[in-house]
Amino acid sequence: PIWCVYLAVFLPEPIHSQLELSVREGNQVGWIHDLEGVRRVQTWFVQHYAATAVWCGAGVAGWLILLSRRAWQSRLLPVAAALLVGDLLWFAHGRSVQCDPALYFPPVPVLDEVARSAPGRVIGYNCLPASLAAMRGLRDIRGYDSVDPARMIDLLDLAAAPQSKGYFYAMTQEMTPKAEFTSEGAIRLSPILDMLGVRYVILRGSPSAGTRPAFQGQDYWVMVNSNALTRAFIPRRVETVTEDKTRLEKLASPEFDPLEIAYLEHPVDLPNACRGSAGIVEEIPTRVTVSVRMETPGLVVLADLWDKGWRADWNGQRVPILRANHALRGVVLPAGEGTLVFRYAPASFAWGLRLAGLAVLVLLAWLGIILWQRPTPRSETPLPPSETSGAAPAG
């Protein structure tokens, strides 16, 4: 509280004098263009620091009272808790820590067209940070985020161009994909990006000669990768590769075809030719529902990161999720039709709920013990009249 009082009396710079000096010189600072605006800002800071000093002083006084008057603690603790919650609500009232997403970045019509077109992941070519793509409702593969994305980064490294930049704290922030334009004006990406469902490549500036952009605006233009797979697909055959290095070498090959072959870490019993179809029918961040029709037993691959917290159910029955193609989710299914549901239900969350419930029980037990041990006020028993009336009057 002493520090807040000091700030209320001696305002910090540039509020104290530099702001007024700048306005007197004819400069406009934000919305402040005259001395009246300067006074409004200074008054707001004084009121803010004074109110903070009062609250801090009240808090210190309350804790001192609780420490010195132990008999009052059971009565004042609920009051102090209510005041702390009230202070939090007062601080948060009317505050918006996040502005309207429409104000994050000027509208880009080309990106909006991509967001409204057929679903698929995107990647920028020497442009478009992944965070900006997310603001426009796009799924940039470079912005992939999960519990442990290291294996996904291993895959993306295989699909990065030699000139691609990388940072130790954000390996794929400015990743440039391997890409080449065909004689027909189309674009060809690494099979890794085909497998990950990268359908749109977003470039900036003017289109190169001979290319055929699917979308074009004043500053951005977009090429469609016709080889991109849907996020759920069924490879024709499966091969077991136990070593990570060997598996990554096979995935990095230009001849790798994700529809032809999938690599697993453990052997499975499947026919030499698997046939079927799969498609995502519903999705939220913690659940993905896939409609599957298997003509033969086979492996359904979901081009999302494998993590031990995910669970899979095939027509209501639990099935294991295998790690396919180094980092993705794979489920072995029998022939037939049904629904495959992926749910994120990590054991840590369940244990957190159990521990939270245990903590509630402990607090209730502790409160019960306090109430049970509280001494009952003793009522004074009145003395008999003979003992309270004193001696009898003489005569």
Side-chain angles (χ1 to χ4, degrees):
I2 297 175
W3 177 246
C4 292
V5 170
Y6 174 82
L7 292 177
V9 177
F10 304 99
L11 291 173
E13 295 293 355
I15 306 302
H16 178 62
S17 60
Q18 295 179 9
L19 181 60
E20 180 176 346
L21 179 62
S22 179
V23 171
R24 287 185 181 277
E25 292 176 351
N27 300 321
Q28 180 172 340
V29 182
W31 59 269
I32 306 171
H33 57 83
D34 55 16
L35 294 180
E36 181 182 355
V38 174
R39 299 292 177 257
R40 287 173 58 190
V41 172
Q42 292 175 339
T43 301
W44 184 90
F45 272 89
V46 170
Q47 294 175 348
H48 175 78
Y49 285 128
T52 305
V54 171
W55 278 107
C56 291
V60 172
W63 286 116
L64 291 176
I65 292 174
L66 290 176
L67 290 175
S68 61
R69 302 282 185 175
R70 295 186 176 277
W72 293 7
Q73 290 184 3
S74 60
R75 300 177 182 177
L76 292 184
L77 276 177
V79 177
L83 289 176
L84 290 174
V85 173
D87 174 59
L88 180 62
L89 295 176
W90 171 77
F91 176 79
H93 177 68
R95 294 176 179 266
S96 178
V97 296
Q98 185 174 10
C99 64
D100 188 341
L103 302 176
Y104 289 167
F105 196 82
V108 182
V110 172
L111 302 185
D112 294 336
E113 290 184 48
V114 174
R116 292 191 298 266
S117 59
R121 290 185 171 122
V122 307
I123 191 169
Y125 191 92
N126 292 331
C127 69
L128 191 68
S131 56
L132 175 57
M135 294 175 193
R136 309 313 304 174
L138 304 174
R139 296 186 175 188
D140 196 317
I141 192 65
R142 299 170 300 173
Y144 195 93
D145 186 18
S146 188
V147 178
D148 181 13
R151 285 180 172 264
M152 181 62 72
I153 292 176
D154 289 341
L155 290 181
L156 293 178
D157 283 343
L158 301 178
Q163 71 274 19
S164 180
K165 296 180 181 179
Y167 305 99
F168 71 92
Y169 57 87
M171 299 297 293
T172 63
Q173 179 175 329
E174 296 186 13
M175 169 188 167
T176 301
K178 295 177 183 177
E180 60 179 9
F181 293 99
T182 66
S183 57
E184 293 80 15
I187 193 169
R188 183 178 299 160
L189 300 177
S190 163
I192 296 292
L193 297 183
D194 297 340
M195 176 185 67
L196 296 177
V198 178
R199 179 177 175 82
Y200 302 101
V201 182
I202 303 174
L203 305 97
R204 199 167 186 180
S206 300
S208 304
T211 58
R212 297 180 179 178
F215 306 97
Q216 183 175 351
Q218 294 181 349
D219 195 22
Y220 288 95
W221 53 289
V222 182
M223 298 292 296
V224 172
N225 175 27
S226 59
N227 294 325
L229 304 183
T230 58
R231 280 173 56 201
F233 60 92
I234 299 171
R236 296 183 184 89
R237 59 189 182 92
V238 174
E239 180 180 329
T240 303
V241 181
T242 58
E243 295 183 0
D244 290 353
K245 181 179 179 181
T246 304
R247 190 184 317 112
L248 288 173
E249 290 176 352
K250 289 178 175 290
L251 292 169
S253 170
E255 305 302 322
F256 169 61
D257 183 356
L259 270 182
E260 178 63 30
I261 189 170
Y263 300 108
L264 297 180
E265 299 177 358
H266 305 285
V268 293
D269 185 15
L270 288 176
N272 294 330
C274 304
R275 297 186 304 274
S277 59
I280 296 175
V281 295
E282 187 181 3
E283 179 183 10
I284 60 175
T286 57
R287 187 177 70 248
V288 181
T289 303
V290 184
S291 177
V292 182
R293 180 179 179 273
M294 300 295 299
E295 300 178 24
T296 67
L299 178 74
V300 176
V301 177
L302 181 67
D304 289 352
L305 182 65
W306 180 94
D307 182 77
K308 63 181 180 180
W310 284 93
R311 304 288 185 267
D313 295 310
W314 169 246
N315 292 334
Q317 299 295 323
R318 178 68 57 84
V319 289
I321 302 179
L322 308 177
R323 190 149 48 199
N325 291 338
H326 189 71
L328 308 184
R329 302 175 209 165
V331 176
V332 174
L333 296 179
E337 298 184 14
T339 301
L340 179 63
V341 180
F342 294 89
R343 288 187 176 88
Y344 189 64
S348 58
F349 180 74
W351 275 108
L353 291 179
R354 296 188 186 101
L355 293 176
L358 178 62
V360 171
L361 294 177
V362 171
L363 289 175
L364 291 176
W366 175 62
L367 180 60
I369 293 174
I370 291 177
L371 296 176
W372 180 67
Q373 292 181 343
R374 177 182 294 180
T376 304
R378 298 180 179 179
S379 58
E380 297 183 359
T381 305
L383 297 176
S386 60
E387 297 181 14
T388 60
S389 57

